[in-house]
Amino acid sequence: MIRLVIIGSGNVAQHLIQAFQKSLVQVVARHPETLHSLPISCPVVTSMNEIADAEVYVLAVSDHAIAALGHEIPGTGKLVVHTSGATGMHVLPKHHRSGVLYPLQTFTKGKPLDYSTIPFCLEADKKEDYLLLEQLARTVSSAIFSIDEQQRLALHLAAVFVCNFTNHLYQLGADLCAEHGVSFEVLKPLILETAAKVQTLTPTQAQTGPALRGDTATLERHQSMLTQPYPKEIYQLLTQSIIDHVQKL
Amino acid sequence: MIRLVIIGSGNVAQHLIQAFQKSLVQVVARHPETLHSLPISCPVVTSMNEIADAEVYVLAVSDHAIAALGHEIPGTGKLVVHTSGATGMHVLPKHHRSGVLYPLQTFTKGKPLDYSTIPFCLEADKKEDYLLLEQLARTVSSAIFSIDEQQRLALHLAAVFVCNFTNHLYQLGADLCAEHGVSFEVLKPLILETAAKVQTLTPTQAQTGPALRGDTATLERHQSMLTQPYPKEIYQLLTQSIIDHVQKL
């Protein structure tokens, strides 16, 4: 087993603590009370001064806190990694070895996740450190990807499209349901199946709807039903983008 | 068993034929060759003149073909229903009884579906016909909803947001992956989990991301990475819409 210390007590830290239980020798948490419901079998300390000796230190903290906390890790030549999709390795302290262990998933407090399918996007300065991170990640998941900084930033941006923006489209669908006295339950199987389709088909193969068909009558009726400015503009822009995409195929 | 005739051979017809196999006494299909791979145990005829006697006639055809084919159903006082989310009952022939059986799902040719979870949105002119449609739909699914015309049109529009537009966001995510040499596989678990979250949380509870957090630095970096006009405009508009939604909470 690779001896692991996780620094952090937020949402991502809580999930990584559960996922990496077997490797964990210590958790460093400024707010240990947020961890009380987790099954942690290793010591939890509150100060970086009490940090244990380990092979890998994982900084699962806010982007802006990575650099300062990294510098508090004692000694030299330790493998120190962060978990941020939006941050380069260069913010990590130069007297340690650097890497990134970015779990690309949407983490919800208290909602269990199947960690074995979580994609771990790995990067390290040194080849042997990459292999160490890979060995560590493989104890949890079989979805391991070698991702450099530019790719990681692109994935972080793509995740906004397929997760944050997608959830907002669910919100607009829920708003339409509420406006017309329909239960959002009716849309839930469609939401699941839409996500399931692109697991085996490409998004191009999976695309359906009036914009793709060039069904002008339906497009016009839909737009006339939208009275609020944002959903109306979103309808028009996404329709145009689908049409533009089809024309480029 | 309610004796059922399905008219149609397209995508929706093919799925309804499979779902309602046990009730089916006949299929009327202008293009029966498209059905050759389906396990159909009832007769398939090609002409409306050969139509069998049944309790319910389901017109699973294109919106524009509903009215004309409805008028070809012989006799009077039969229960004739269409399956369109975008069409009113008034297009059905007045000398028959009218109803709607709208399965709200994205149907993909050849992709198996769990029909037991498909929401059936039902409407009928007469209470007893609604109950008959409900009895019929219950042989397939436990998700039955009484939905009037305005509600059905709203659901049809909401489905464009949560299915067609969502799939286009998957497309934009896949495009970003392709542009940066990353496999779209990395995003697939996130796509599934995003859809899974709103099965138990509301979209408001499930929302995450830089727009919600007001994380201006990330929003600006993301926009600077988008070089194509459509994804950039979509990023800006959906970000603004999320911010607008938060402010109204």
Side-chain angles (χ1 to χ4, degrees):
Chain A
M1 270 298 158
I2 298 163
R3 292 167 51 87
L4 183 71
V5 167
I6 292 180
I7 298 128
S9 55
N11 199 5
V12 173
Q14 289 181 31
H15 280 282
L16 292 181
I17 287 167
Q18 287 170 270
F20 286 103
Q21 270 184 72
K22 289 178 189 164
S23 307
L24 211 52
V25 296
Q26 190 190 55
V27 174
V28 185
R30 247 188 315 177
H31 303 290
E33 66 281 6
T34 62
L35 305 175
H36 76 276
S37 64
L38 298 184
I40 308 180
S41 50
C42 71
V44 178
V45 300
T46 56
S47 162
M48 293 293 282
N49 297 326
E50 303 170 75
I51 205 159
D53 186 55
E55 286 170 87
V56 183
Y57 294 86
V58 175
L59 292 159
V61 296
S62 307
D63 292 1
H64 62 84
I66 293 169
L69 284 168
H71 275 90
E72 291 188 41
I73 292 166
T76 56
K78 300 286 186 184
L79 180 53
V80 177
V81 306
H82 71 65
T83 61
S84 167
T87 309
M89 272 196 300
H90 64 274
V91 305
L92 293 166
K94 296 285 173 291
H95 60 284
H96 287 305
R97 291 136 55 210
S98 301
V100 179
L101 184 144
Y102 170 44
L104 197 140
Q105 187 50 282
T106 172
F107 295 102
T108 312
K109 260 178 200 153
K111 184 180 183 295
L113 264 178
D114 177 5
Y115 298 118
S116 72
T117 62
I118 289 196
F120 281 101
C121 302
L122 308 181
E123 187 185 10
D125 255 344
K126 296 186 168 66
K127 177 73 180 164
E128 58 268 31
D129 288 338
Y130 179 86
L131 294 174
L132 190 63
L133 289 179
E134 187 178 53
Q135 192 187 336
L136 179 67
R138 278 212 191 287
T139 64
V140 170
S141 170
S142 54
I144 315 288
F145 298 90
S146 171
I147 298 291
D148 68 25
E149 184 169 327
Q150 278 311 308
Q151 291 175 322
R152 192 167 61 250
L153 292 173
L155 278 171
H156 189 258
L157 171 56
V160 170
F161 279 92
V162 306
C163 173
N164 306 151
F165 289 167
T166 286
N167 186 77
H168 188 61
L169 294 182
Y170 301 160
Q171 179 74 65
L172 299 178
D175 291 350
L176 277 166
C177 284
E179 188 184 334
H180 291 86
V182 182
S183 167
F184 182 56
E185 290 299 315
V186 190
L187 291 177
K188 289 182 175 178
L190 177 63
I191 286 172
L192 273 185
E193 177 66 11
T194 302
K197 274 170 78 165
V198 293
Q199 305 296 310
T200 51
L201 303 175
T202 66
T204 305
Q205 292 168 330
Q207 189 66 53
T208 55
L212 183 79
R213 290 196 305 273
D215 177 352
T216 322
T218 299
L219 293 172
E220 281 171 9
R221 194 183 46 245
H222 280 171
Q223 285 176 59
S224 72
M225 290 174 70
L226 291 164
T227 50
Q228 298 296 316
Y230 276 115
K232 198 184 190 86
E233 279 181 60
I234 289 168
Y235 190 97
Q236 289 166 341
L237 185 59
L238 282 165
T239 293
Q240 282 306 315
S241 182
I242 291 170
I243 293 169
D244 180 70
H245 218 280
V246 173
Q247 286 170 347
K248 283 182 183 158
L249 288 180
Chain B
M1 268 301 159
I2 297 164
R3 290 165 52 86
L4 183 72
V5 167
I6 292 179
I7 297 129
S9 54
N11 200 5
V12 173
Q14 290 180 31
H15 280 281
L16 292 181
I17 287 167
Q18 287 169 270
F20 286 103
Q21 269 184 73
K22 289 178 189 162
S23 306
L24 211 52
V25 296
Q26 190 190 55
V27 173
V28 185
R30 247 187 316 178
H31 302 291
E33 67 280 5
T34 61
L35 306 175
H36 76 277
S37 63
L38 299 183
I40 309 181
S41 49
C42 70
V44 178
V45 300
T46 55
S47 162
M48 293 292 281
N49 297 325
E50 301 170 77
I51 206 161
D53 185 55
E55 287 170 86
V56 183
Y57 294 87
V58 176
L59 292 158
V61 296
S62 307
D63 292 1
H64 62 84
I66 293 168
L69 284 168
H71 276 89
E72 291 188 43
I73 293 167
T76 57
K78 299 288 187 184
L79 180 53
V80 177
V81 306
H82 69 65
T83 60
S84 167
T87 309
M89 271 197 299
H90 64 273
V91 304
L92 294 167
K94 297 285 174 289
H95 60 285
H96 288 305
R97 289 136 56 210
S98 300
V100 178
L101 185 146
Y102 170 44
L104 197 140
Q105 188 47 284
T106 172
F107 296 102
T108 312
K109 260 179 199 150
K111 182 176 183 300
L113 264 180
D114 177 4
Y115 298 119
S116 71
T117 61
I118 288 196
F120 280 101
C121 302
L122 308 183
E123 186 186 10
D125 254 342
K126 297 186 169 64
K127 177 73 181 165
E128 58 267 32
D129 288 338
Y130 179 86
L131 294 174
L132 189 64
L133 289 180
E134 187 179 52
Q135 192 187 337
L136 179 68
R138 279 214 191 285
T139 65
V140 171
S141 169
S142 53
I144 315 287
F145 298 89
S146 172
I147 298 291
D148 68 25
E149 184 169 327
Q150 279 310 310
Q151 292 175 323
R152 192 167 61 250
L153 292 173
L155 278 171
H156 189 258
L157 171 55
V160 169
F161 280 93
V162 306
C163 173
N164 306 149
F165 289 168
T166 287
N167 187 76
H168 188 60
L169 294 181
Y170 301 160
Q171 179 73 65
L172 298 178
D175 291 350
L176 277 166
C177 284
E179 188 184 334
H180 291 86
V182 182
S183 168
F184 182 56
E185 289 300 315
V186 190
L187 292 177
K188 288 183 177 179
L190 177 62
I191 286 172
L192 274 186
E193 177 66 10
T194 303
K197 273 171 78 165
V198 292
Q199 306 296 310
T200 51
L201 303 175
T202 65
T204 305
Q205 292 168 330
Q207 189 66 53
T208 56
L212 182 79
R213 289 195 305 273
D215 178 351
T216 321
T218 300
L219 293 172
E220 281 171 9
R221 194 183 49 244
H222 280 170
Q223 285 177 59
S224 73
M225 290 173 70
L226 291 164
T227 50
Q228 298 296 313
Y230 276 115
K232 197 185 193 87
E233 279 181 57
I234 289 168
Y235 189 97
Q236 290 165 342
L237 185 59
L238 282 164
T239 293
Q240 282 307 316
S241 183
I242 291 170
I243 292 168
D244 179 70
H245 217 280
V246 172
Q247 286 169 347
K248 284 183 184 159
L249 288 181

